[in-house]
Structure formats: structure tokens, C-alpha cells
Amino acid sequence: MTPSAAHLASVRTPLLDWYDRNKRDLPWRRTKDPYAIWLSEVMLQQTQVATVIPYWERFLARFPTVLALAAAPLDDVLSGWKGLGYYSRARNLHRAAQEVVSRFGGKLPSTAAELLSLPGFGRYTSGAVASIAFGEQAPLVDGNVARVLSRLFEVEGLPGDREREATLWELATLLVKGERPGDFNQALMEHGATTCRPENPLCLLCPVRTGCVAFRKGRVDELPPAKVRAAPKKLTLALAVWAHADTLLFARRADSGLFGGLWELPAAEVDEDATEAETTLRLTGALGAGVKLEAMLGTVKRQLTHRDLTLRLYRVSGPLRPTRSAAFQELRWCTPSEAATLGMSTAMQRALEAAMTALK
Ligand code: SF4
């Protein structure tokens, strides 16, 4: 699909004008610092704007430059990210900052192609940072942009469909060519977030209505077709609450997978209807040391985006206190207040609080 130059112009100019008049005043729009802009893009990937603002401000105060972030221990970075979820973003951010230092002399590269070579930079983030921070005519497509372009140019296909994705990127590439590419990309996203919304788009207030094929043909409600959402999977973890003197045993998870790289009360996946014997076996396997279940201390439930999480807390003991295990990157005996300074997910934090209450 190649739209006419007139069609492209009927979108580009009015959308930029509309953006100038209506853009939300967001803190990362007041800075020219590429690092701060990059950070906002990473945080905004799976998190709402209103939630991101205080996190962005706090994180920047704690790690004000790429150099500061690169030099910080990973645990500090993960603890600065606590509450935002999707911790792989923080791990990639940290690794990318270290590569910016080692490969680019501490300065974030300015083109989408170079940015793409850094950890955590996909096509979207590279396009966003290159266009917004450096003024490159680099396209981007996120969920908002995909919806807007599907409607404006009547792009068929389900979200995730390859041909559809390719068409959307081609359209975004054509549209971003021109003045103020960063503002234009932000205008597209802002338009999708505030006007061309998934439900009840505000077509009568829309600055690009005359160029919108879906509006003209009465197909706004059909485009894009709704994605079928998979039901969240159930996941049950047994957590070992192993006390010794004033310490508890904590474990750091492997880098990949759920809560990758974060600390926790050592956990092992169990079946929803696991017996005590099965749970004992799983925890023994995870810790690489014989474990005896002394008491069930309680259950913590958390709803994550893709998971229904149940954490079962067991007070355990054993003949040998483990200090390392193949299932975890690290085991550490420390006090709960020392553990609070380690990077721990909100779910595991709640589990620790419940364990402490039960042990009192
Ligand atoms: Fe979206 Fe409606 Fe505007 Fe078309 S007319 S771009 S559907 S808000």
C-alpha cells in the first residue's frame, strides 16, 4: 500500500498543528537529555504515564547520567525499579548503559541503527529515542500508532499479523519524513492515546478526520480488529521461610524468566494441588539441600498481567544450611531489613511481609 502524497500531507500537517496546541505537559518533554528521554521510553513501554512520572523523577535523581547508571550495582538499579514490574527492562537498561560507556564513550548513539545494537532497544525504542532525542527521521510503531494508522489508511489484519506489521512500519516511515520527526512521532502516539482511542474514539474532534479512510467508510469500530487475549496462566510457588538466628535465607533468581535476577524467599514451582511431600521434594530440589516443612504460614495472591500468582509460605528447616544451589544465582542468609535493600519484586516483598507477620 502506498498512499498518495496528498493523503500523507493531509495527516502530517494537521496532526503536528494539533500536537502543538494539545500536547500534554510531561516532564520528559521538557528535557533535551537523550538519557532522560530514553529512560522515559523504557518506563512507558508497559506502564501508564501517570504511574511513570514519579518513578522517572526518582530514578533520574538516583542515577542522573548514563555514567552513574552504568557504574551502579545491578541490585541498586533493580531496587530503584521496584514497583514498576517487568524487571527485564531495568536489567537491559543497566546493560545498555554499560555498553554505551564501553562502546560509545559514554554518549548515547544518535541513530536508530546504532541504538538497535544495544540491549533492550527494539525497533520501537530505537525509533523513539533517535527521533525525539536526536531529530532523526526514524519511524516508530507502538500500539497507539498501529491503531491510528490502521484506521487512517484502512490497514487490515489482526494485531501481530506480519503483513499488517510491515504495512504499518512502511506507513510510519513515509509519514515521519519531514520537519520535526520527534514531535510528529509523539503527535501520532498522543493522538492515539487521547483522541483515536481504542473504544469510543473522538472522531468529531479529530484533526485528521478528512484523511481518515475508516471514518469515511464507517469502519472505525472494525479497525483494528480486537486481539483475542489469552487468559492469565495460573502459577503456584512454594516459598521456603528458613530462619536461622536473626537471618532468613534469600535467593537470587536466574536472569531469565519471571522475576529474573531479583531476590526472593527461595521459591519452587509446585502444582496447584501439590501435597506436602511433593512440595518438600520441590523445595529440596531447588535448594539442593534436605528441607523439612514445619508449618504452612499463609498464602499471598498477586495478579500479574500474564499470570495468576499464588505464593505459599512454608516455614522450613533442614540439617544443613545451604549457601549455594544450582537453581539460583546466589543464596544469602541475611536479616529481612538487609534484604529490603536488595532488588525484590512487589509480589515477593508482600510474601516477605506476610512471613514476618506470621513468624512474630
Ligand atoms: Fe481516529 Fe476517528 Fe480520527 Fe479516524 S477520524 S483518525 S478513527 S479519531
Side-chain angles (χ1 to χ4, degrees), residues 150-172:
S150 304
R151 289 171 174 170
L152 280 172
F153 297 95
E154 199 182 27
V155 180
E156 308 283 357
L158 280 166
D161 176 87
R162 268 203 191 174
E163 208 175 314
R164 172 182 187 262
E165 301 301 314
T167 305
L168 294 172
W169 278 94
E170 272 168 42
L171 288 167

Side-chain angles (χ1 to χ4, degrees), residues 108-129:
L108 202 59
S110 62
T111 66
E114 286 172 304
L115 288 165
L116 203 51
S117 72
L118 290 167
F121 274 86
R123 222 171 155 189
Y124 166 81
T125 314
S126 307
V129 175

Side-chain angles (χ1 to χ4, degrees), residues 148 151-152 191 195-196 201-203 206 208-209 212 215 220:
V148 171
R151 289 171 174 170
L152 280 172
H191 178 58
T195 308
C196 195
L202 307 174
C203 297
C206 175
V208 287
R209 194 177 60 227
C212 179
F215 182 78
V220 172

Side-chain angles (χ1 to χ4, degrees), residues 49-62:
V49 167
T51 309
V52 164
I53 292 173
Y55 277 99
W56 181 82
E57 287 168 344
R58 276 200 301 270
F59 196 92
L60 265 186
R62 191 159 168 188

Side-chain angles (χ1 to χ4, degrees), residues 197-211:
R197 307 180 302 202
E199 312 289 334
N200 306 318
L202 307 174
C203 297
L204 295 179
L205 300 174
C206 175
V208 287
R209 194 177 60 227
T210 51

Side-chain angles (χ1 to χ4, degrees), residues 177-201:
K177 292 207 182 335
E179 52 163 2
R180 299 165 56 201
D183 282 350
F184 178 74
N185 278 338
Q186 292 188 86
L188 265 181
M189 292 190 280
E190 186 94 342
H191 178 58
T194 62
T195 308
C196 195
R197 307 180 302 202
E199 312 289 334
N200 306 318

